Amino acid sequence: MKYILLFLLLPALAAGQRAVISIDTDRVIDTIDPNIYGLFMEPIASTRTGAPTNTLYGPIYNPESPRANKDGLVQDYIDAAREL
């Protein structure tokens, strides 16, 4: 019987507690591998270049690409996705 009473009172006792989340932005554990945030996109065939099909290959995010916009996204993919 005492366990049933404890079981019934436990949620009421826990409800009075306050949860606190602390984020320490100065604590660095390690760098995040950029491949974690990658994605796979099927090659896109585009007719923008005048050729019947111009298939795009490679990563969508590539800040080193000469075709990358200010955010590092390859502009060809954005334009081809707009066509779709």
Side-chain angles (χ1 to χ4, degrees):
M1 183 70 178
K2 64 181 175 179
Y3 293 112
I4 293 173
L5 185 59
L6 180 63
F7 181 73
L8 293 174
L9 290 177
L10 193 59
L13 295 173
Q17 295 179 357
R18 183 175 158 202
V20 177
I21 298 174
S22 298
I23 300 173
D24 185 0
T25 57
D26 294 328
R27 181 175 177 233
V28 177
I29 297 172
D30 202 355
T31 57
I32 298 174
D33 184 348
N35 294 322
I36 292 174
Y37 297 107
L39 64 104
F40 177 76
M41 185 171 176
E42 289 286 337
I44 298 176
S46 174
T47 57
R48 289 178 292 103
T49 60
T53 58
N54 178 24
T55 304
L56 301 172
Y57 292 99
I60 296 171
Y61 177 76
N62 184 5
E64 287 86 30
S65 171
R67 299 181 320 271
N69 65 13
K70 65 179 176 65
D71 297 318
L73 300 171
V74 178
Q75 191 63 42
D76 293 350
Y77 278 105
I78 295 171
D79 295 340
R82 279 196 183 111
E83 277 185 26
L84 296 175

